[in-house]
Amino acid sequence: MGVSGVDGRRPRTDKQRNRTHILEVAQQFFAEHGITGSMDAIAKRAGVGPGTLYRHFPNREALLAALLQARDEELELRRAAIQREETDSSAALTQWLDSLGEWVTAFDGLPEPLRAALTESTSPLAITCQGFITTTEEFLRAAQRDGGAQPWVRGRDLFLSTLATAWVRSAAMADESSPQALKTLMRSGWQTSTNGR
């Protein structure tokens, strides 16, 4: 009785401590091995049983969503800064896409579950992806209104193009210049020819 307490506060503290520790271990593990690394290996490295891991994170997507939460917040801060400081709508869109590109390369292999989440409404990553597509649309619409972006371009396509560019980083045929080349190609696709930037 003395360990758990009548009101159960100690177990909740231990549960939160376990969750935080698992996230720290998973962050390091995915950084080393990419997101396809074994969930059981993460549990073993964290010193917990697989059951404990899965009680906190029922699947890989839930674990990734929790790991990306802090990065989501950083990206939201970046979005607010761009909207506050950049007056050129095309430059603002470019800066947002660059920031989004950094977010999707948090771990090797991350673009694939993010792409899959767009067609799986039950994925814990789906809400995050949809939110960033909506933000991309906002930046894009501003650039389109100002004549800096092609009228047929969609925010969803720009988001998918960003995922594709991030995926190229680990592609066997890619070299160091491939990601930047794709970013330039993508920009030349959405940007109007009258925009000088």
Side-chain angles (χ1 to χ4, degrees):
M1 196 73 165
V3 174
S4 61
V6 175
D7 60 3
R9 287 182 184 169
R10 176 73 177 275
R12 282 200 295 270
T13 301
D14 289 345
K15 184 177 180 180
Q16 183 58 44
R17 189 180 301 118
N18 275 343
R19 186 179 191 280
T20 300
H21 179 61
I22 290 168
L23 285 173
E24 290 170 351
V25 170
Q27 171 91 19
Q28 183 65 35
F29 189 86
F30 285 154
E32 294 171 4
H33 303 284
I35 62 157
T36 58
S38 163
M39 293 283 280
D40 287 348
I42 292 172
K44 185 175 181 181
R45 185 185 284 195
V48 300
T52 299
L53 172 63
Y54 287 111
R55 272 194 299 276
H56 288 284
F57 308 103
N59 52 44
R60 188 180 307 274
E61 288 74 22
L63 179 57
L64 282 171
L67 285 172
L68 288 173
Q69 185 174 3
R71 290 178 180 270
D72 293 351
E73 293 167 1
E74 291 172 10
L75 190 53
E76 281 297 326
L77 290 173
R78 180 66 185 135
R79 174 199 58 76
I82 294 170
Q83 291 178 327
R84 184 175 60 249
E85 298 167 8
E86 182 57 67
T87 57
D88 183 300
S89 57
S90 294
L93 176 57
T94 297
Q95 290 175 33
W96 167 251
L97 293 174
D98 286 346
S99 298
L100 197 57
E102 292 174 12
W103 177 78
V104 301
T105 55
F107 305 110
D108 187 38
L110 182 58
E112 176 53 29
L114 293 174
R115 182 205 61 77
L118 293 175
T119 58
E120 299 171 10
S121 59
T122 58
S123 170
L125 294 169
I127 294 175
T128 296
C129 289
Q130 192 53 57
F132 291 141
I133 289 173
T134 299
T135 300
T136 303
E137 280 283 0
E138 292 170 0
F139 279 107
L140 173 61
R141 282 197 299 268
Q144 288 170 329
R145 281 194 304 269
D146 294 342
Q150 300 285 354
W152 51 265
V153 178
R154 301 184 307 167
R156 183 183 182 89
D157 297 330
L158 290 181
F159 182 82
L160 288 170
S161 296
T162 302
L163 293 184
T165 301
W167 174 84
V168 162
R169 292 176 184 267
S170 58
M173 293 180 65
D175 59 26
E176 291 181 1
S177 65
S178 296
Q180 184 57 48
L182 274 183
K183 283 172 62 177
T184 302
L185 281 171
M186 181 173 74
R187 184 173 179 179
S188 67
W190 65 256
Q191 198 170 53
T192 59
S193 57
T194 57
N195 192 297
R197 281 180 176 268

